[in-house]
Amino acid sequence: MSYYPILTAPDSEGFTVLHNFPPNNWEISSRGPKYVNATTISEGVWTSKTIGFLDHMESKTYTRFDVGAIEGLCLLSLTEAPLPEVSPQLPNLKSQTFIPNWRATLGLRRKDAVVSYQGEIEAFPAKASLLTSGLMLQHGQNVENYILLINVEKEPVSRSGELRLFDANNMSSPLATFGVENNKINIIPFDQNLFHTGRLPIIACNEMTGIPLYFSCLRDSSALSLEHTHPPMSLAIHGNRLGVQRLIKSFWFGKMNHD
Amino acid sequence: MIDGSLGLFHKLIWKLGQPLTIRPVSDGAPVSDLFLWRNDDLGTVFELLCLPGLFSDLIESETVQMMFFDHNGEQISTASIRIKTGERISLNLEPYTHGYGAYGTMAFFHNGKLEELRLLNTHLAERGYTGFRSKDNHFRSYVHGNYDAICLEPDGGLQLLGGTSLLPRKYYVQYVFSPLISYEVALVNPTPKTQKIRLSIFEADDTPVSDSSIHLPPRGSWITKYISHPRSWTLILESRMVMTRPIIFRRDQKMLDVFHG
């Protein structure tokens, strides 16, 4: 199994629905009850506790209220045995299925509106970078936009980095810069006034990577949108997709340094 | 996981010759998802950028080939649009789909003939972002592409890339459908054969609620509406597609959420 974060966003409550059934009937996976774990960083180490059990074919919704006094990133997981209470590194969990991965419903609730996506997260390498585009930035008088950058790494050691927003046609200097941290859901205001319609936002971070979630809402909370972008390798199929990612990143990070 | 001879047997039955996505026959053929468009009470916007321009300063712009299909998978129109490197176009699809029914599919093919891609033996793929909105509101609910579904061959022909299975496969949608909320489940067929897809609904205690089947032609699409069931429910899809992943529209009065199942 992978990990499933409880999301955080401005004026919103995060919820995570865990499902103890696989996404298909043909990739062999364990059946039977599973432990529900909540994992976080406390005093410099990963700590986990059992917060419940799910029978086979059962689903259940969890919020911060269900995990007790956890501040900061909270990762849920389903395992056949409880996770160790204390770990020097994030316990290694991998999805048992691949077409698709074993997912949970990750959502946000704001007043009466609900938005969610099917997702999971596994630890990213510390030596990695983020490059993506802000194609889901929405314009409008009553629209708020945020980037929720979710980073998880094996080591619990705190690191920080700089997330920069560029106009793709002018990579010489960022339009905005934000501090980001590892092992955290970083909430980044994504100001529509920086990018007129027709301009392509580029989002980059040299020091770390993560899943960039785009959360948009109407100020009266009557409408929400939540979706993530993919890494550059998703722009290619078959062959050397990682090579494609390296090419694109090298080109764009080079523009940031030299323009 | 199962090891040994049982694992080999499992691999033969479920994996051998049954990829999720077939490799295009033509080198460098650009690939696209079969994105869903809607022109009923929801409108559709597609977010375009110049993909080849992500690789090199030498590319200032490209012409994107767009193809639109009705819900039977029949081609209804083609168009092209020029986009500059570094530009974003939020393309309103209504002019291209008006009069062709409530929904269908569409594909966007970029200029895939890049030396960089040839050297990496790969294909440029459009799996971008579709925004759905109600007709009286510009706010969009976004969802990303679902499949690497179709490629454009050098002679203008199309090749469907969705993999098919020897045996029927079940896809358990890992989502609990809320009680008293309306949903629409959209399915697309990215394979070259007509697919029979069975949709089975169960309540939490495994009580069956409904069981129906559809026959979806290649490139075809289908939207099934589920209106306000009194208890929470789950959905199982069965077909000979390697993965029958739906797009789900959650319709809570005027509030819309769109996501992959």
Side-chain angles (χ1 to χ4, degrees), chain A residues 19 21 23 25-26 103 115-116 118 135 137-138 198 222 227 229 235-240 251-252, chain B residues 10 21-23 54 57 88 120-123 125 129 140 143-144 148 169-170 172 174 245 255 257 260:
Chain A
H19 310 285
F21 55 89
N25 68 332
W26 58 274
R103 293 192 163 132
V115 71
S116 69
Q118 305 301 96
L135 278 173
L137 175 68
Q138 300 205 42
S222 60
E227 182 56 286
T229 50
L235 296 173
I237 66 158
H238 300 296
N240 187 351
F251 175 57
W252 285 88
Chain B
H10 177 264
T21 306
I22 297 166
R23 185 181 260 279
L54 297 178
D57 271 333
R88 170 192 176 189
L120 293 171
N121 195 24
T122 189
H123 300 260
Y129 307 95
R140 302 153 196 171
V143 65
H144 65 68
D148 296 301
R169 300 186 188 213
K170 288 186 178 175
Y172 300 106
Q174 289 177 309
R245 185 163 69 177
M255 289 182 278
D257 185 21
H260 287 293

Side-chain angles (χ1 to χ4, degrees), chain A residues 17 19 21-28 59 96 98-103 105 112-118 134-139 143 168-169 198-200 216-218 221-230 234-241 243-244 247-248 251-252 255, chain B residues 1-2 10 14-15 20-24 31 47-49 51 53-57 85-88 116-117 120-125 127 129 137-144 148 161 168-176 234 242-243 245 250 252 255-261:
Chain A
V17 187
H19 310 285
F21 55 89
N24 62 55
N25 68 332
W26 58 274
E27 287 186 285
I28 305 295
S59 298
Q96 293 185 1
F98 300 97
I99 304 182
N101 285 359
W102 191 305
R103 293 192 163 132
T105 304
D112 294 328
V114 167
V115 71
S116 69
Y117 80 105
Q118 305 301 96
L135 278 173
M136 289 181 276
L137 175 68
Q138 300 205 42
H139 291 85
V143 177
N169 284 317
R199 310 302 281 186
L200 177 65
S216 300
C217 46
L218 289 179
S221 302
S222 60
L224 309 176
S225 175
L226 184 69
E227 182 56 286
H228 63 89
T229 50
H230 290 99
S234 70
L235 296 173
I237 66 158
H238 300 296
N240 187 351
R241 300 174 68 216
V244 168
L247 253 182
I248 292 176
F251 175 57
W252 285 88
K255 284 165 75 69
Chain B
M1 293 289 176
I2 291 184
H10 177 264
W14 293 111
K15 294 189 180 177
L20 176 62
T21 306
I22 297 166
R23 185 181 260 279
V31 172
E47 300 291 345
L48 265 177
L49 72 156
L51 289 192
L54 297 178
F55 292 84
S56 164
D57 271 333
T85 294
E87 185 182 9
R88 170 192 176 189
E116 294 90 339
L117 297 177
L120 293 171
N121 195 24
T122 189
H123 300 260
L124 195 60
R127 284 193 70 192
Y129 307 95
N137 189 341
H138 287 289
F139 190 86
R140 302 153 196 171
S141 183
Y142 281 103
V143 65
H144 65 68
D148 296 301
L161 304 177
R169 300 186 188 213
K170 288 186 178 175
Y171 185 92
Y172 300 106
V173 179
Q174 289 177 309
Y175 177 80
V176 177
T234 55
V242 172
M243 186 174 74
R245 185 163 69 177
R250 184 181 190 273
D252 183 4
M255 289 182 278
L256 172 68
D257 185 21
V258 188
F259 52 94
H260 287 293

Side-chain angles (χ1 to χ4, degrees), chain A:
Chain A
M1 296 314 151
S2 308
Y3 287 97
Y4 310 103
I6 298 180
L7 297 179
T8 53
D11 301 317
S12 307
E13 181 192 33
F15 65 89
T16 298
V17 187
L18 298 182
H19 310 285
N20 188 12
F21 55 89
N24 62 55
N25 68 332
W26 58 274
E27 287 186 285
I28 305 295
S29 59
S30 61
R31 300 172 197 268
K34 291 191 175 63
Y35 289 86
V36 178
N37 313 288
T39 301
T40 189
I41 293 175
S42 177
E43 297 179 357
V45 292
W46 287 104
T47 62
S48 300
K49 61 180 178 182
T50 300
I51 60 169
F53 303 89
L54 281 188
D55 286 329
H56 180 56
M57 299 307 292
E58 187 183 0
S59 298
K60 190 171 176 185
T61 302
Y62 296 89
T63 66
R64 291 243 162 209
F65 177 78
D66 301 300
V67 300
I70 288 184
E71 295 181 11
L73 181 68
C74 178
L75 300 172
L76 302 182
S77 58
L78 285 171
T79 54
E80 292 173 28
L83 293 180
E85 282 184 26
V86 175
S87 311
Q89 289 187 336
L90 183 66
N92 188 24
L93 301 180
K94 296 285 182 188
S95 179
Q96 293 185 1
T97 62
F98 300 97
I99 304 182
N101 285 359
W102 191 305
R103 293 192 163 132
T105 304
L106 309 181
L108 292 166
R109 187 174 285 113
R110 210 194 218 204
K111 291 189 183 173
D112 294 328
V114 167
V115 71
S116 69
Y117 80 105
Q118 305 301 96
E120 82 286 354
I121 195 164
E122 292 171 6
F124 292 104
K127 285 190 179 176
S129 60
L130 172 76
L131 180 74
T132 189
S133 65
L135 278 173
M136 289 181 276
L137 175 68
Q138 300 205 42
H139 291 85
Q141 214 174 7
N142 298 311
V143 177
E144 299 173 6
N145 296 280
Y146 300 92
I147 301 167
L148 311 177
L149 181 65
I150 312 175
N151 171 279
V152 174
E153 294 174 357
K154 273 189 185 174
E155 301 293 335
V157 176
S158 290
R159 298 193 310 117
S160 60
E162 199 172 70
L163 186 131
R164 296 175 287 168
L165 306 183
F166 294 90
D167 180 326
N169 284 317
N170 182 8
M171 298 296 294
S172 58
S173 62
L175 296 175
T177 302
F178 301 91
V180 291
E181 295 171 37
N182 68 336
N183 296 318
K184 185 178 177 176
I185 299 176
N186 296 274
I187 299 173
I188 313 291
F190 196 6
D191 185 356
Q192 58 176 291
N193 295 312
L194 294 176
F195 301 94
H196 298 297
T197 53
R199 310 302 281 186
L200 177 65
I202 297 290
I203 297 135
C205 180
N206 270 43
E207 295 86 6
M208 66 185 69
T209 189
I211 296 176
L213 273 182
Y214 297 84
F215 175 57
S216 300
C217 46
L218 289 179
R219 282 210 180 89
D220 65 0
S221 302
S222 60
L224 309 176
S225 175
L226 184 69
E227 182 56 286
H228 63 89
T229 50
H230 290 99
M233 68 189 290
S234 70
L235 296 173
I237 66 158
H238 300 296
N240 187 351
R241 300 174 68 216
L242 198 53
V244 168
Q245 176 151 304
R246 288 192 186 115
L247 253 182
I248 292 176
K249 281 190 170 182
S250 170
F251 175 57
W252 285 88
F253 279 108
K255 284 165 75 69
M256 291 172 214
N257 295 329
H258 295 299
D259 273 6

Side-chain angles (χ1 to χ4, degrees), chain B residues 85-156:
Chain B
T85 294
E87 185 182 9
R88 170 192 176 189
I89 295 177
S90 301
L91 190 65
N92 174 20
L93 281 316
E94 187 179 353
Y96 304 97
T97 59
H98 180 72
Y100 291 107
Y103 58 87
T105 52
M106 57 191 178
F108 299 87
F109 299 109
H110 295 266
N111 174 15
K113 289 289 183 193
L114 299 174
E115 182 63 10
E116 294 90 339
L117 297 177
R118 189 190 70 78
L119 291 171
L120 293 171
N121 195 24
T122 189
H123 300 260
L124 195 60
E126 173 62 88
R127 284 193 70 192
Y129 307 95
T130 310
F132 294 95
R133 57 177 182 80
S134 55
K135 292 287 179 74
D136 60 357
N137 189 341
H138 287 289
F139 190 86
R140 302 153 196 171
S141 183
Y142 281 103
V143 65
H144 65 68
N146 210 9
Y147 297 107
D148 296 301
I150 188 169
C151 74
L152 180 64
E153 295 178 319
D155 64 358

